[in-house]
Amino acid sequence: MIDRQPITLDALLVGSLAPIDDRGTLSGIDKHPLDGAVELCATGFSGDHQGDLKRHGGVDKAVHHYPRDHYRARTDEIGFIPLLKQPGAFGENLSTLGLTEGDVAVGDRFRLGGALLEVSQGRQPCWKLNRRFGLPDMARRLQQSSRTGWYYRVIEAGLVSAGERMHLVERRHPAWTIARLWHFLYVDTLNRHALEEIANLAILPSSWRDYAAKRLQTRMVEDWSRRLDGETTPVNG
């Protein structure tokens, strides 16, 4: 066990599919807290859903964690809206205080209830946040702020309940925090040394390593507009 103060899971949240826009695009971003034990398997919590399984969910994005620590900054930035009164505004499954992107690194393993989770990647915000908040640039705000949250893969399935403690049990790549990944993905985007490291960081999903490899090859950054601003035809998400 690593000598670090465990973090309390303040809320465990899941969401059903529902239309998020007037085109009928389905999304599970509207998460609500649950009481009692919930089964966590390789693809996520029982009762949790994603509309677009190509871009959301799957083993490398089984669980989304968004720090409640960021809610005050969001309120200061955009003003008070009812969504920010309680956890779940950003489509998170796990809500905590005291753990942010600068504290968590790719490959970190946490024991939570009967499950073992491994940090897999940061979040790449998408246009569904714009619809959810009623702001055309909410996804861009999230991306530019560094406050994106992160995803876990499930190493060991088990039952999880709100109120349980998250224990950090292993650090495999402590230098590669989610904050540092964010910096090289969105700020210092063509840093050759960093991109070479990311391209060879085997614990990252292949999609993230591919971003780095392609940037190294082309010396260009991929276009984010479709992901951040929306698509012209309905895509479930």
Side-chain angles (χ1 to χ4, degrees):
M1 184 74 68
I2 294 175
D3 184 17
R4 178 174 176 168
Q5 189 72 20
I7 298 293
T8 300
L9 179 61
D10 293 325
L12 189 164
L13 308 101
V14 302
S16 300
L17 294 180
I20 197 170
D21 59 18
D22 56 10
R23 300 174 300 170
T25 306
L26 295 176
S27 174
I29 196 172
D30 185 19
K31 310 290 189 192
H32 297 274
L34 294 178
D35 295 323
V38 182
E39 182 68 35
L40 177 60
C41 68
T43 55
F45 285 104
S46 176
D48 195 39
H49 299 276
Q50 299 83 30
D52 178 9
L53 293 178
K54 180 178 179 181
R55 297 173 178 85
H56 301 279
V59 295
D60 287 321
K61 292 187 282 188
V63 177
H64 179 234
H65 191 151
Y66 193 81
R68 188 75 185 273
D69 311 66
H70 299 331
Y71 273 55
R72 178 174 292 181
R74 290 289 171 223
T75 300
D76 292 343
E77 178 187 348
I78 66 176
F80 175 78
I81 63 172
L83 274 178
L84 294 172
K85 287 180 66 175
Q86 61 185 17
F90 300 91
E92 64 267 34
N93 298 115
L94 304 183
S95 177
T96 61
L97 287 169
L99 197 65
T100 67
E101 292 80 358
D103 305 312
V104 174
V106 175
D108 283 0
R109 289 188 172 187
F110 289 88
R111 176 65 67 183
L112 178 60
L116 182 65
L117 305 178
E118 181 178 88
V119 178
S120 57
Q121 62 189 80
R123 180 185 189 171
Q124 293 179 281
C126 80
W127 61 271
K128 296 175 186 67
L129 286 165
N130 305 340
R131 306 297 190 274
R132 181 154 172 78
F133 280 84
L135 295 171
D137 63 346
M138 190 63 191
R140 288 186 179 273
R141 288 171 183 259
L142 209 70
Q143 178 169 295
Q144 291 167 1
S145 72
S146 81
R147 304 183 190 100
T148 60
W150 58 90
Y151 288 102
Y152 298 97
R153 57 177 67 96
V154 179
I155 305 302
E156 296 177 10
L159 292 174
V160 176
S161 301
E164 292 182 318
R165 309 274 270 175
M166 296 186 66
H167 298 267
L168 179 64
V169 297
E170 185 177 0
R171 303 211 82 184
R172 302 170 71 183
H173 299 279
W176 278 106
T177 63
I178 296 299
R180 187 176 179 219
L181 274 175
W182 169 85
H183 178 79
F184 291 117
L185 191 65
Y186 299 127
V187 181
D188 189 4
T189 54
L190 293 175
N191 184 304
R192 177 171 292 277
H193 177 70
L195 290 174
E196 287 173 347
E197 284 196 54
I198 293 170
N200 290 292
L201 193 58
I203 201 165
L204 276 176
S206 59
S207 59
W208 282 61
R209 289 182 277 120
D210 289 346
Y211 282 129
K214 190 170 183 179
R215 289 182 191 182
L216 285 167
Q217 180 182 12
T218 65
R219 301 305 296 164
M220 295 176 62
V221 178
E222 63 279 358
D223 184 3
W224 303 325
S225 58
R226 188 177 183 186
R227 169 172 58 82
L228 293 172
D229 301 326
E231 307 188 47
T232 57
T233 57
V235 174
N236 292 340

